[in-house]
Amino acid sequence: VCVSWQDTQHYLDWLSQRTGVRYRLPTEAEWEYAARARTVTPYFYQPEQQCAYANGAGQETKPIAGSGWTLAVCTDPFVYTAPVARFAENLFGLFDMAGNVLEWTQDCWHENYQDTPSDGSAWLDAQNGDCTRRVVRGGSWLNFPQYLRSADRDRLLTDAALNLLGFRVARGF
C-alpha cells in the first residue's frame, strides 16, 4: 500500500532484474478476467456475502463513516487495510480481488471502452489515453459495496500514493 504507479514500475524493474523473469502490472482486461473468475454477475460472490470475500465499507466502518455513507449490512474485522488473504478466495483461487486496496493496472485512463485492444493488452497513450492517470480496479476498504463489483474502474494520477492503494504483479511470458 501507499505506492504510486511510478513506484510500482521501479519495483517491477527491480524484481525482474533480481529474478531474471519479467514481471509487470496486469492489464485492465487481465485484472477483470481474474476478478470475475468466469462469473458473469456484478460480483464474483453473492452481495450479501461481501464480508466473507471483500474488505469494503461494512458496519465496522461506522466509527469513521460520514453522513450519507452506504455501508454493507455485514461486518468484517478490519476498518482499514487487512493483511493479504484474510478473506475467501474467488473461483480462480485468487485472494483480495475485491476490496482491501484499489490496485494499479498498466493501462492509461480512457473514459470508455471504445477502440479498446481486443487482445487484452494494455491500453496506452498510442490509443489516445491519458497516461498521467492510470486505471485502478478492485475497490478498497473505504469503498461502498457498489464499488466492489468486478467491472468497477477508476483512475488516479500516477504519483498518487494512498493508504487505500496497492498493486499485484503479473508474470510476463
Side-chain angles (χ1 to χ4, degrees):
V1 297
C2 301
V3 290
S4 70
W5 185 88
Q6 297 155 338
D7 293 336
T8 69
Q9 298 307 295
H10 294 300
Y11 174 76
L12 294 166
D13 288 344
W14 173 84
L15 182 61
S16 296
Q17 289 174 3
R18 176 89 182 199
T19 63
V21 177
R22 188 174 77 83
Y23 288 94
R24 59 182 174 75
L25 292 175
T27 69
E28 184 176 7
E30 289 170 332
W31 192 97
E32 185 169 335
Y33 178 81
R36 285 189 178 282
R38 295 195 181 106
T39 62
V40 295
T41 55
Y43 307 89
F44 65 84
Y45 53 87
Q46 296 300 315
E48 65 275 3
Q49 295 178 327
Q50 173 185 311
C51 293
Y53 289 91
N55 181 16
Q59 295 300 302
E60 73 288 345
T61 312
K62 280 184 179 179
I64 65 167
S67 64
W69 281 34
T70 304
L71 304 177
V73 296
C74 58
T75 301
D76 71 55
F78 303 98
V79 175
Y80 300 101
T81 54
V84 172
R86 293 298 169 100
F87 294 85
E89 67 216 49
N90 72 8
L91 294 173
F92 284 169
L94 300 172
F95 292 93
D96 305 318
M97 293 303 295
N100 211 24
V101 295
L102 291 161
E103 295 181 9
W104 288 113
T105 70
Q106 194 64 35
D107 297 62
C108 299
W109 175 253
H110 292 78
E111 288 292 331
N112 57 49
Y113 290 119
Q114 185 177 355
D115 300 323
T116 186
S118 60
D119 63 358
S121 61
W123 206 1
L124 302 172
D125 59 349
Q127 296 94 10
N128 298 316
D130 176 2
C131 290
T132 64
R133 290 166 169 47
R134 296 288 175 149
V135 176
V136 291
R137 300 295 296 261
S140 78
W141 56 266
L142 188 59
N143 284 122
F144 305 155
Q146 67 266 29
Y147 297 115
L148 301 183
R149 56 188 186 85
S150 300
D152 193 66
R153 61 195 294 265
D154 207 346
R155 76 251 181 226
L156 289 171
L157 291 169
T158 59
D159 62 353
L162 308 168
N163 66 357
L164 49 68
L165 182 59
F167 70 105
R168 71 179 61 230
V169 300
R171 185 173 173 180
F173 292 102

